[in-house]
Amino acid sequence: MNAPAPLARRRLTRTASLTAQVNAAQRAAETMRSPRRRLLDDPWSRHFVDHPALRAVLTNRWLAGAAVRVFDRQWGGLHAHIVLRARFTDDVCAAAVSDGIDQLVLLGAGFDTTSLRKARSSVTMFEVDAETTQAAKRPTAERLLPAPRTGHIVWVPCDLEQDSLRDRLLAGGFAPQRRSLVVWLGVSMYLTAEAIEATLSDLAALCAPGSRLIADYIDTAVVTGESRSTGARRIARVVARRGEPYRSGFTLPGLDALLAAHGFGVRDHAGVAELLDRYDPTHTSGLAADDWLGVVCAERTGR
């Protein structure tokens, strides 16, 4: 597979754990908000937050709520996207399992807790990520897994610069003749166009017709510096200063065309505003709806 740029590789190895912790802290903080305002119930996320400052935010509901408000003011749209893409994923997962899909691939899993939430479903879950992040996640995840459980977790260490995703999944027991659901969140924006193409080529080779893919993305204008969202421009500067700039963005038609070229047809799409309309129709959360991120669900249409 084609290699991501060195900066993208650093994100997938040395710094992925911190990035994943921030996202876990966001989901945990949202879970601690009052039931009237919160948009996500993910009690497992807090267990993957070790950074002292992030843990301090999660000591009580008031601090958690204040942190969400500050985050949302600074980077409007990002918090809503992080927590509601999890809701979107849960809905797609539930529909896929109901439809008989029994393989779930978490690609660039980070500290995503889908495996814990789906532990009682009859699904084999492939957690794919860099060894450093998996080493931090696996002991805690295995301790938290509810009993009894019917789902089975396979840990698949994979460096996208040096390893073949296809080979690693097949070695882990992935069955390409069976339909699957691939969840690929929080990764594409850090990769080069070549790495995204290579990953989609691998998925096209692996996924049987009827398989589904969830992927999120940022708007092209954020990458070019032309976004009208103040929050988007701010977060782009933050990640660039950390040495992991946003490298790839899409318009929805552009992403639709790219997925179609690899045999995936988009069946659902939601930007931030649409996610809030779906999951917070009365707007009680008070979160910003800056629309510079999106998530899609696509289906594999043929080999």
Side-chain angles (χ1 to χ4, degrees), residues 184 193 196-197 200 250 252-264:
W184 190 27
I196 292 170
E197 285 273 0
L200 288 173
F250 294 95
L252 179 58
L255 181 60
D256 195 347
L258 176 64
L259 291 172
H262 291 276
F264 289 92

Side-chain angles (χ1 to χ4, degrees), residues 18-272:
L18 179 58
T19 302
Q21 279 195 60
V22 171
N23 287 347
Q26 287 179 251
R27 297 193 305 271
E30 182 67 26
T31 299
M32 293 176 68
R33 300 176 83 196
S34 69
R36 186 180 69 86
R37 296 178 70 87
R38 74 175 173 222
L39 298 178
L40 181 69
D41 186 17
D42 182 6
W44 292 277
S45 282
R46 65 181 299 115
H47 297 282
F48 299 100
V49 180
D50 292 328
H51 192 283
L54 297 176
R55 287 188 65 84
V57 164
L58 302 178
T59 54
N60 64 65
R61 179 181 288 180
W62 185 89
L63 281 174
V68 168
R69 290 191 295 273
V70 170
F71 194 99
D72 192 52
R73 280 198 299 269
Q74 283 290 108
W75 305 295
L78 183 57
H79 181 76
H81 176 75
I82 294 297
V83 299
L84 291 180
R85 72 185 183 186
R87 291 279 298 275
F88 182 95
T89 297
D90 281 351
D91 286 350
V92 175
C93 280
V97 172
S98 178
D99 195 33
I101 291 176
D102 62 358
Q103 295 186 118
L104 171 61
V105 178
L106 298 171
L107 184 55
F111 292 130
D112 181 288
T113 60
T114 301
S115 294
L116 294 169
R117 297 198 302 275
K118 301 298 179 185
R120 289 196 171 98
S121 64
S122 300
V123 174
T124 300
M125 293 164 280
F126 298 86
E127 290 248 2
V128 182
D129 212 335
E131 287 186 81
T132 48
T133 298
Q134 286 195 344
K137 180 180 185 179
R138 185 171 179 174
T140 301
E142 291 181 339
R143 174 173 58 83
L144 293 173
L145 280 169
R149 71 177 194 267
T150 53
H152 178 53
I153 299 178
V154 179
W155 299 90
V156 182
C158 185
D159 181 331
L160 291 180
E161 182 171 352
Q162 299 185 7
D163 304 323
S164 163
L165 172 63
R166 181 177 182 275
D167 290 348
R168 287 298 178 100
L169 277 173
L170 292 175
F174 181 87
Q177 70 275 15
R178 301 209 313 267
R179 293 180 302 156
S180 57
L181 169 63
V182 179
V183 180
W184 190 27
L185 299 175
V187 179
S188 69
M189 56 283 297
Y190 295 99
L191 298 180
T192 62
E194 293 79 12
I196 292 170
E197 285 273 0
T199 300
L200 288 173
S201 293
D202 274 355
L203 293 178
L206 284 164
C207 294
S211 295
R212 295 165 198 176
L213 167 67
I214 301 172
D216 68 342
Y217 67 97
I218 59 173
D219 191 86
T220 303
V222 181
V223 179
T224 62
E226 299 170 317
S227 175
R228 289 183 288 182
S229 168
T230 302
R233 295 196 302 271
R234 283 176 179 158
I235 195 63
R237 290 193 294 268
V238 169
V239 297
R241 285 197 297 268
R242 289 180 56 195
E244 45 179 351
Y246 293 142
R247 302 182 68 86
S248 293
F250 294 95
T251 62
L252 179 58
L255 181 60
D256 195 347
L258 176 64
L259 291 172
H262 291 276
F264 289 92
V266 172
R267 13 180 320 153
D268 193 12
H269 165 264
V272 175

